[in-house]
Amino acid sequence: MADIARSEPRYGNRPTMKDVAARAGVGLKTVSRVVNGEPGVTPDTEHRVREAIEALGFRRNDSARVLRKGRTATVGLVLEDLADPFYGPLSRAVEEVARAHGALLINGSSAEDPEREQELALALCARRVDGLIVIPAGGDHRYLEPEIRAGVATVFVDRPAGGIDADAVLSDNFGGARAGVAHLVAHGHRRIGFIADRPGIHTARERLRGYRAAMEDAGLDVADAWVSLGPTDPERVAAAAGAMLSGPEPVTALFAGNNRVTVTAVRLLADRERPVALVGFDDIELADLLGVTVIAQDAAALGRTAAERLFRRLEGADEAPATVVLDTRLIARGSGEVPPAGG
Amino acid sequence: MADIARSEPRYGNRPTMKDVAARAGVGLKTVSRVVNGEPGVTPDTEHRVREAIEALGFRRNDSARVLRKGRTATVGLVLEDLADPFYGPLSRAVEEVARAHGALLINGSSAEDPEREQELALALCARRVDGLIVIPAGGDHRYLEPEIRAGVATVFVDRPAGGIDADAVLSDNFGGARAGVAHLVAHGHRRIGFIADRPGIHTARERLRGYRAAMEDAGLDVADAWVSLGPTDPERVAAAAGAMLSGPEPVTALFAGNNRVTVTAVRLLADRERPVALVGFDDIELADLLGVTVIAQDAAALGRTAAERLFRRLEGADEAPATVVLDTRLIARGSGEVPPAGG
């Protein structure tokens, strides 16, 4: 069930190229040149036109533009980590939609650095992408407002935008984590550890919220020692899991907050004598053979939904920005159905 | 041991911007504007300057340019498949080197389509990347010659360029496959199947050559039915493996020509009563837990080596184009050490 959160429309009574020309005191052809990145405009004039565009909130009609011009449309995708397998199917789905619309896709990665995200998104805009899909690293996207006003259609995916009203396509991180932890509770677990990415990351916070909700639903207290948020490198995750699994009252189950955590947890738990239950957020390749129970997100559907929304905007759709939330799915494969050891 | 194949130098006595200006009949500033993509040049003049650049084989001095200009340098990476986990670490390594040089990386994927590769590479050039790293889908890269002459440093990775003399960084696909198959022979196998990607793909051909060499080294004939090249989707791979594993003289071992084939083979062999030996080309995540013996390529080293070469060129290095071949490594984990079933 997709949940749509609506907000106020932003586009309507839009200023035209004529308005921009009048304000800048130049001809229509000059505005067109600036907007379409054609040569033959002096830097001074270009500056004046850009100021008028900015002041009026002019947004070019991309639909007509993309269809009229001979050149290939291009959309940019700002990823968070090029090596995270979660983003592979997401990127490929965006690419497939782009191709179906005759457009090229170019990507870049922020490597989870908000400054890098901004630099990359603006660099893509400077290279005249027609639209942007952003997996945000940062929490403030006001830097994109002039670009969006200038006509760059923008959709956020996996995590929402901050500080601006924009389209977003997200997974139900809260609901998925809540269902995964409830699954462990249903199999008899009372002491459940939660290991996830850094708390600055939207999805980590949402999944933590889901974990806490499931524990509260079951009337279980959460000890501070059972929650660990931080970098997802194997060393940090192994140390966090090791701490939760030792001591006088060790956890009997782990909820892994993303695929990087799950991979380390699977390795770690394979070596233990007493079984520890495990449910991971995100499916991982070969999890079927290893019997790993997961909350699966549909990474391809995230990419596809975001890209389709982007192209609807590029084709002139004048809808209000909305947030689409995609459901997750629990896949029971064994590791999440292990009862508490010793219990 | 890295093997360097040298070819003739291409750069030397290079034409200068002055030569271009003289030939085009314009001032030096105009040439500079065209070369640096600055506004203020009419389309006609730009055309004349570009013709002169082309005719003279002018190549701007990127080093000075990147260092002198205020803007961020950008390099483009043309991938083959956004969802193949092999390219994740490769892309991230390229990105890390780019970042260390203060440059941005933008990617795109050809989806194994030569036309798409060309379209994307030229689109990145049109968006004024300073350098290009290409994992080629096609076998003819003469379309990049004008760009290279105009100063876009270009390095090929994973697969060599076709029709032009250019830097390439490759894995030792031939030697790796030969070592993997020899490993199976050493464990008593005589009937060994080989399943790999389409024969149009350089790495698939090289690995097939390695397979044949190892069989010949061992004095073993190769039956036609033991070799299957084609798309690497699970259905095709499962059908190919099924055929090799049935009949009166089934193979007792499989060599999987890439990670996509290995994943399907691991699933397939998990269900069999009689063990079948398996060695896969490329390491895969969690192969350690599943006991899969592989020939590992260092995907990150491929990306890093290519990117470092690219930046040496961007910083003005005037070396001859060369091919660097990186070694592969056999990692024995169990599946490749199974003796032939039934003897």
Side-chain angles (χ1 to χ4, degrees), chain A residues 31-297:
Chain A
V31 176
S32 161
R33 281 194 177 128
V34 170
V35 166
N36 292 314
E38 286 159 9
V41 184
T42 66
D44 258 18
T45 304
E46 177 167 355
H47 183 70
R48 238 168 42 240
V49 171
R50 293 220 175 271
E51 276 189 339
I53 285 172
E54 170 84 5
L56 295 169
F58 168 76
R59 180 175 177 269
R60 68 190 174 199
N61 184 341
D62 290 282
S63 164
R65 203 177 66 87
V66 170
L67 298 176
R68 223 168 21 214
K69 297 201 63 170
R71 73 178 188 81
T72 306
T74 308
V75 297
L77 170 61
V78 177
L79 291 164
E80 176 263 310
D81 179 352
L82 292 174
D84 187 330
F86 175 70
Y87 295 117
L90 190 156
S91 306
R92 189 152 67 177
V94 171
E95 184 187 50
E96 278 165 8
V97 174
R99 181 165 325 183
H101 285 81
L104 275 177
L105 173 70
I106 54 182
N107 299 332
S109 154
S110 66
E112 203 65 83
D113 174 347
E115 272 180 45
R116 193 86 184 170
E117 174 208 307
Q118 176 167 346
E119 191 185 4
L120 180 63
L122 293 178
L124 291 171
C125 291
R127 280 162 184 77
R128 304 211 174 82
V129 293
D130 300 286
L132 263 188
I133 295 181
V134 180
I135 297 171
D140 184 352
H141 298 92
R142 284 173 297 180
Y143 72 86
L144 272 175
E145 278 189 322
E147 304 296 333
I148 293 172
R149 274 204 304 273
V152 179
T154 304
V155 176
F156 290 78
V157 66
D158 189 39
R159 309 165 181 177
I164 63 169
D165 189 18
D167 286 325
V169 180
L170 313 175
S171 278
D172 183 6
N173 294 291
F174 169 75
R178 186 182 199 166
V181 174
H183 185 74
L184 290 167
V185 170
H187 283 85
H189 296 276
R190 298 290 170 266
R191 298 194 306 275
I192 301 170
F194 177 86
I195 306 177
D197 214 329
R198 281 157 292 187
I201 295 173
H202 169 82
T203 49
R205 286 197 308 274
E206 283 295 292
R207 293 170 197 171
L208 175 59
R209 217 160 58 76
Y211 162 80
R212 289 198 185 279
M215 295 295 275
E216 199 182 317
D217 292 343
L220 298 170
D221 284 333
V222 174
D224 287 349
W226 300 350
V227 173
S228 175
L229 274 67
T232 58
D233 57 280
E235 295 70 28
R236 209 282 300 176
V237 170
M244 292 178 193
L245 291 166
S246 59
E249 289 223 304
V251 300
T252 63
L254 285 176
F255 187 84
N258 72 16
N259 68 31
R260 300 297 83 204
V261 176
T262 306
V263 164
T264 296
V266 168
R267 283 220 173 82
L268 207 74
L269 300 184
D271 289 339
R272 293 185 70 88
E273 246 172 66
R274 303 183 109 192
V276 174
L278 173 70
V279 174
F281 205 108
D282 295 331
D283 206 359
I284 51 175
E285 190 161 74
L286 297 175
D288 52 338
L289 289 185
L290 291 162
V292 183
T293 295
V294 298
I295 301 294
Q297 300 187 67

Side-chain angles (χ1 to χ4, degrees), chain B residues 302-328:
Chain B
L302 279 174
R304 197 165 49 242
T305 307
E308 281 166 356
R309 198 153 186 95
L310 188 78
F311 279 95
R312 279 209 303 282
R313 290 232 178 267
L314 287 176
E315 283 155 7
D318 211 9
E319 305 162 38
T323 297
V324 178
V325 178
L326 302 184
D327 269 0
T328 59

Side-chain angles (χ1 to χ4, degrees), chain B residues 266-282:
Chain B
V266 167
R267 285 218 172 83
L268 207 74
L269 300 184
D271 289 339
R272 293 185 71 88
E273 244 172 68
R274 303 183 107 190
V276 174
L278 173 69
V279 175
F281 206 108
D282 295 331

Side-chain angles (χ1 to χ4, degrees), chain B residues 109-127:
Chain B
S109 155
S110 66
E112 203 65 83
D113 174 347
E115 271 180 45
R116 193 84 184 170
E117 174 210 307
Q118 174 167 348
E119 191 184 5
L120 179 63
L122 294 178
L124 291 171
C125 289
R127 279 161 184 79

